[in-house]
Amino acid sequence: MAASDTCAGDTPSRRRAVWLSPPLLLLLIQGCFCLSGPSTVSGTEGGSLSVQCRYEEEHRTRAKFWCRRWCLPGWEIVMTKPPEVEARSGRVSIRDHPANLTFTVTLEKLSMQDAGTYQCGVDEPWKWDIFLVMVLVSPAPATAPTPAPSYGGPTIPAMTLPAHTGEKPPEPSPHPGSLLGSVHGLLLVFLKLPLLLAMLAAVLWVNRPQRGPGRGQVS
């Protein structure tokens, strides 16, 4: 059977599939293999990953979409709008490559909550053309703290203060002038003062009054 016949099948439209339970949907889409791609992709928390899905020639002009878990109409995370081949919604972008019949979905700034089951698909009015992809996200490796930058300027020497021992500083020596004054005072008391007294006594002796001749003596 040709690929186009396989995709056509008796699959209900996406609008009608809204009311079907997930297990029944799985049974209905088993015969549609118009899309292919990786079954599992992985990335690291904080990084990004890309998923490339391949489609058939008949889907070249159709809109391409990316959604999570069970994709109901209007629940697409991101979807192209022909003739535009690229679309973005937040951290998720999709780009169609009609030349090689592929489209690429890119998830940026991954978080642990991004892990789960997704679908890449082609929007058709009477077909349910999807491909399931499991996205795995591993925790980001721990990073060592960045050391503070060192200052490259001149080094200032540290000031060292003298240790306090509790002893009194030595008293300053007396001024030489005061010592000479003390010696001069001692000389004045013990040498000059007796000499002055002796000179004063000699002056008094020389200047003492003279006695006249006796009254009873005959001239």
Side-chain angles (χ1 to χ4, degrees), residues 10-34:
D10 293 329
T11 306
S13 66
R14 295 181 64 198
R15 302 294 180 182
R16 294 174 56 191
V18 174
W19 308 105
L20 299 179
S21 63
L24 183 56
L25 285 175
L26 283 177
L27 293 176
L28 291 175
I29 65 176
Q30 290 298 319
C32 184
F33 298 98
C34 299

Side-chain angles (χ1 to χ4, degrees), residues 173-189 192:
S173 60
H175 196 273
S178 61
L179 182 59
L180 292 177
S182 301
V183 174
H184 180 74
L186 293 176
L187 291 176
L188 179 62
V189 173
K192 293 184 178 182

Side-chain angles (χ1 to χ4, degrees), residues 38-43 49-52 66 107 116 133-137:
S39 59
T40 304
V41 292
S42 60
L49 61 81
S50 295
V51 182
Q52 188 177 69
W66 174 262
L107 284 74
V133 180
M134 177 67 70
V135 173
L136 305 177
V137 180

Side-chain angles (χ1 to χ4, degrees), residues 62-143:
R62 300 291 184 181
K64 314 306 186 300
F65 64 86
W66 174 262
C67 58
R68 188 165 189 173
R69 298 185 180 92
W70 299 109
C71 189
L72 303 180
W75 287 19
E76 300 89 353
I77 297 176
V78 63
M79 185 175 186
T80 62
K81 296 180 180 180
E84 300 293 332
V85 296
E86 187 173 9
R88 171 178 287 273
S89 177
R91 300 180 292 111
V92 185
S93 63
I94 184 171
R95 183 174 181 83
D96 190 10
H97 309 281
N100 55 10
L101 301 179
T102 62
F103 64 93
T104 304
V105 179
T106 302
L107 284 74
E108 302 174 349
K109 299 179 182 179
L110 291 171
S111 65
M112 299 302 297
Q113 289 74 24
D114 291 331
T117 303
Y118 292 81
Q119 299 175 16
C120 59
V122 177
D123 186 35
E124 290 199 83
W126 303 105
K127 295 180 182 180
W128 187 272
D129 296 335
I130 61 173
F131 184 83
L132 299 180
V133 180
M134 177 67 70
V135 173
L136 305 177
V137 180
S138 57
T143 57

